[in-house]
């Protein structure tokens, strides 16, 4: 933590600025302000950065780039929106191609006012960002020390924003693995996820029909069950599944990268299985190169029974296992 306090590394991205805020940002590096003497380094590699500093309003083209850079920064990370354009869209707000400020795409922690933002204000914003970063570090450390108190609970609609944010963080490693960020989990919207909580999604209703399990009763049974793994009030993992006939389909078992390899994924798998006590078979799917998922599922007793191309880079691997009686003490989720 001392290393970060004394030398935060920053990555700067111009979302579509008029260049005013960029020039002021670069001025921070010149001999007059010389933030490098304080240890602040401007890096070009998001994987090395702690702070994501964005100038300019967000347009159609910069949205994907902002998301891509943001997801590559290691956790915890802080986003600083520099200038009124990055904060709200500024004078470009009503333009046909502008979607708004940076927070229309990713969460922003610190807003630096001004048009253009003055170097002193930018440095002040970075100092505030370091404070936020320290707080996030403390919070994650406290969670890591309390993993033995993880609660596995049913999630509801109010958890959707936190689960969606976690999903996008968790799937970043998959997107990098396949060099393909077209994974549906990376692009799901809050509206879509909220709809999944409230009703049987069309894609699953169609699946029920193709399986010959038509009728309102079966569609109702196909509602998605969402689980969450919670530590100190924060969701660090999630899984979902639905039952059709005698099979429970398990999907999107996600764990925050910071808390992986600590047994959370294994418990999530067990708990989501326990949520379907009446089925005879479980089915899961993962990408063909996702060794960690394949290992975890194999360890849970799953066997591969089918593969199917999904994108030019990704093949789905389908795994199944027969359900076994659930010990009374682990049955059900709180
Ligand atoms: S805030 Fe002002 S100076 Fe900065 S990018 Fe927008 S218009 Fe340019």
């Amino acid at each position: 933590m001392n290393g970060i306090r004394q030398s935060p590394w920053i990555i700067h991205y111009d979302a579509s600025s008029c260049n005013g805020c960029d020039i002021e940002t670069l001025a921070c590096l010149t001999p007059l302000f010389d933030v490098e003497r304080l240890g602040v380094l401007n890096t070009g590699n998001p994987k090395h950065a702690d702070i994501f500093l964005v100038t300019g309003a967000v347009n159609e083209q910069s949205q994907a780039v902002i998301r891509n850079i943001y997801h590559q920064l290691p956790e915890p990370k802080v986003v600083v929106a520099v200038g009124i354009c990055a904060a709200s869209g500024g004078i470009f707000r009503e333009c046909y191609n502008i979607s708004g400020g940076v927070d229309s795409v990713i969460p922003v922690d610190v807003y630096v006012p001004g048009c253009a933002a003055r170097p002193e204000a930018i440095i002040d914003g970075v100092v505030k960002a370091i404070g936020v970063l320290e707080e996030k570090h403390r919070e994650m450390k406290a969670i890591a020390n309390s993993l033995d108190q993880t609660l596995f609970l049913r999630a509801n609609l109010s958890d959707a924003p936190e689960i969606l944010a976690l999903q996008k963080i968790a799937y970043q490693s998959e997107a990098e693995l396949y060099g393909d960020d077209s994974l549906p989990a990376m692009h799901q919207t809050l509206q879509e996820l909220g709809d999944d909580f409230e009703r049987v999604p069309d894609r699953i209703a169609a699946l029920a029909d193709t399986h010959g399990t038509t009728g309102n009763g079966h569609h109702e049974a196909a509602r998605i069950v969402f689980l969450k793994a919670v530590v100190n009030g924060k969701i660090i993992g999630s899984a979902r599944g639905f039952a059709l006939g005698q099979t429970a389909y398990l999907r999107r078992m996600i764990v925050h990268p910071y808390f992986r390899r600590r047994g959370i994924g294994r418990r999530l798998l067990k708990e989501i299985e326990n949520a379907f006590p009446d089925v005879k078979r479980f089915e899961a799917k993962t990408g063909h190169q996702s060794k960690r998922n394949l290992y975890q599922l194999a360890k849970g007793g799953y066997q591969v029974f089918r593969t199917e191309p999904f994108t030019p880079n990704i093949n789905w691997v389908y795994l199944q296992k027969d359900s076994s009686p659930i010990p009374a003490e682990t049955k059900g989720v709180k």
Side-chain angles (χ1 to χ4, degrees), residues 171-193:
Y171 269 88
Q172 183 57 34
S173 52
E174 295 290 295
E176 281 178 32
L177 185 64
Y178 296 100
D180 184 344
D181 65 358
S182 69
L183 291 167
M186 297 288 291
H187 297 278
Q188 190 171 30
T189 64
L190 187 55
Q191 177 72 47
E192 288 165 351
L193 186 60

Side-chain angles (χ1 to χ4, degrees), residues 280-296:
K280 291 197 164 53
R281 174 178 173 271
F282 295 108
E283 183 181 312
K285 72 174 180 181
T286 187
H288 69 290
Q289 284 183 39
S290 306
K291 288 192 181 130
R292 191 177 52 241
N293 296 348
L294 289 166
Y295 171 76
Q296 187 122 333

Side-chain angles (χ1 to χ4, degrees), residues 269-288:
L269 179 59
K270 198 76 212 147
E271 298 290 355
I272 191 72
E273 287 175 358
N274 291 352
F276 301 99
D278 301 324
V279 300
K280 291 197 164 53
R281 174 178 173 271
F282 295 108
E283 183 181 312
K285 72 174 180 181
T286 187
H288 69 290

Side-chain angles (χ1 to χ4, degrees), residues 45-66:
N45 187 339
K47 290 185 169 56
H48 295 167
D50 310 297
I51 297 172
F52 185 20
L53 197 145
V54 189
T55 51
V58 177
N59 62 27
E60 288 295 323
Q61 292 194 332
S62 59
Q63 280 179 0
V65 183
I66 289 174

